[in-house]
Amino acid sequence: MDVGNLSTVTQFVLMGLSDLPRVRLPLFVAFAAIYHITLVGNGAILLALGTERKLHTPMYYLLANLSLLDIFCPSATVPKMLHDLLTGEHSISFLGCAVQLYFLVALAGSEVFLLAVMAYDRYVAICFPLRYSLIMTRARCVQLVCGTWAAGFLNSLLHTVSTFRLSFCKSNLVNQYYCDIPQIVALSCSSTYVAEMLILLTGGVFGTSAFLSTLASYVSIISTVLRIPSAAGKRKAFSTCASHLLVVFLFYGTTIFTYMRRASSQDSLSRDRLVSMLYGVITPMLNPLIYSLRNTEVKGALRKVLCGGACAQQAGR
């Protein structure tokens, strides 16, 4: 659909899955199942953390916020994708696209900052265990979490305003199954210099700072753990941060692979879409599995929630 003869674009067409008409229904079933597992898994984590009093600590408070983000982030894109797969319609209004992009960038940005805070929490717990309760107080923890959400949403506001102030008068075909900044900026018929510089500056300052903060925390953690003389002590220390380290690797691995490939290569769009789905749909589903499988306290709380008191008594024998 070319709208070159129109003065402005009033809607966009999401082309991400439009070239797969023969597998629309199988894809719908697959992504509906994945989305359902994501909601149930993260919802169970929230319920377990909320009902188990001994898990009311800074580490699990941060994990609860990660589960919230893992519910909200796919909810910004997956329901629209499921609707498109079911109906065969791929259009989205100008305002709808702006709202989707705003929440997607805000939630993804909040997760970047939250992962840095979670890494800092593990750094304090392992490197300064005697001062942990003094440093990571409830008030400090709430302040850090509120800061991550505020930073993510304010950063997204800047990007959304700068992106949708551009003029769109050429094509309205978005080469993705959701509205994202690179694809929308590419459709502009006006200068994109300011929007692109804003992406580079904020990405460089906020994104790099969060990544380096996370990296520095884990370098310090590994250095401290390696100095522990006993093998049992090393295993215990690593076990407290192994789940989070795996989540960080999964998040940054898919994020960097998604956006660096777009910037540096001209590979097939289908492969880009596959990686985007891994980043936006699969990762939020895996996070609760990672924490529930590797964390004995979370496993115990989930067992109580899912199985009830009888199952918990049986496990304690």
Side-chain angles (χ1 to χ4, degrees):
M1 176 179 171
D2 193 346
V3 291
N5 58 334
L6 301 180
S7 58
T8 58
V9 169
T10 58
Q11 67 175 12
F12 295 98
V13 179
L14 303 175
M15 302 296 293
L17 301 174
S18 63
D19 57 346
L20 303 170
R22 294 183 179 178
V23 292
R24 272 199 303 122
L25 290 181
L27 283 175
F28 173 83
V29 173
F31 284 112
I34 291 171
Y35 184 52
H36 181 73
I37 293 170
T38 300
L39 296 182
V40 171
N42 286 287
I45 292 283
L46 288 171
L47 185 59
L49 297 180
T51 56
E52 187 64 49
R53 292 183 63 87
K54 71 177 182 180
L55 299 184
H56 294 177
T57 62
M59 173 181 169
Y60 293 110
Y61 176 68
L62 297 174
L63 175 57
N65 278 269
L66 179 64
S67 291
L68 277 176
L69 285 168
D70 283 339
I71 289 173
F72 294 152
C73 201
S75 296
T77 59
V78 175
K80 171 60 178 170
M81 179 180 65
L82 293 176
H83 172 270
D84 292 349
L85 286 171
L86 192 61
T87 63
E89 297 178 3
H90 301 280
S91 62
I92 184 171
S93 68
F94 188 91
L95 178 60
C97 187
V99 170
Q100 185 186 66
L101 185 145
Y102 172 71
F103 281 105
L104 179 63
V105 174
L107 294 165
S110 297
E111 187 160 350
V112 169
F113 297 126
L114 181 64
L115 290 175
V117 172
M118 293 176 77
Y120 173 73
D121 172 75
R122 293 298 84 206
Y123 160 73
V124 175
I126 292 174
C127 299
F128 305 99
L130 299 179
R131 298 174 56 192
Y132 178 75
S133 60
L134 298 176
I135 297 173
M136 291 300 293
T137 61
R138 180 175 296 183
R140 176 77 54 83
C141 199
V142 171
Q143 289 171 355
L144 288 171
V145 169
C146 289
T148 64
W149 286 83
F153 277 80
L154 288 174
N155 175 57
S156 181
L157 183 63
L158 285 174
H159 285 300
T160 304
V161 171
S162 67
T163 298
F164 286 91
R165 287 185 64 185
L166 299 171
S167 299
F168 301 96
C169 54
K170 296 187 294 185
S171 174
N172 65 345
L173 304 181
V174 179
N175 288 316
Q176 189 51 277
Y177 68 93
Y178 58 88
C179 293
D180 199 6
I181 294 173
Q183 286 78 18
I184 300 300
V185 170
L187 299 178
S188 174
C189 56
S190 59
S191 174
T192 60
Y193 178 79
V194 173
E196 290 174 350
M197 285 299 103
L198 189 62
I199 293 171
L200 290 174
L201 287 174
T202 57
V205 174
F206 295 118
T208 305
S209 297
F211 174 75
L212 291 178
S213 174
T214 304
L215 182 63
S217 295
Y218 274 104
V219 168
S220 299
I221 288 171
I222 293 171
S223 175
T224 300
V225 170
L226 290 177
R227 291 199 297 268
I228 297 175
S230 67
K234 290 179 181 179
R235 282 196 301 271
K236 184 178 179 181
F238 270 125
S239 68
T240 65
C241 60
S243 298
H244 179 252
L245 186 59
L246 186 56
V247 168
V248 167
F249 178 79
L250 190 62
F251 178 85
Y252 276 107
T254 53
T255 302
I256 292 172
F257 190 61
T258 298
Y259 290 100
M260 290 300 290
R261 286 180 73 252
R262 285 180 187 167
S264 62
S265 67
Q266 296 295 324
D267 291 339
S268 67
L269 292 174
S270 60
R271 233 181 277 170
D272 285 339
R273 293 196 295 263
L274 182 62
V275 177
S276 296
M277 289 174 187
L278 177 67
Y279 163 64
V281 180
I282 309 298
T283 302
M285 179 190 71
L286 294 178
N287 287 349
L289 295 176
I290 292 170
Y291 275 100
S292 62
L293 291 175
R294 296 194 60 87
N295 189 302
T296 56
E297 291 181 324
V298 173
K299 275 196 291 189
L302 282 172
R303 189 180 294 116
K304 288 182 180 180
V305 169
L306 298 176
C307 302
C311 194
Q313 289 177 1
Q314 204 174 26
R317 291 173 184 173

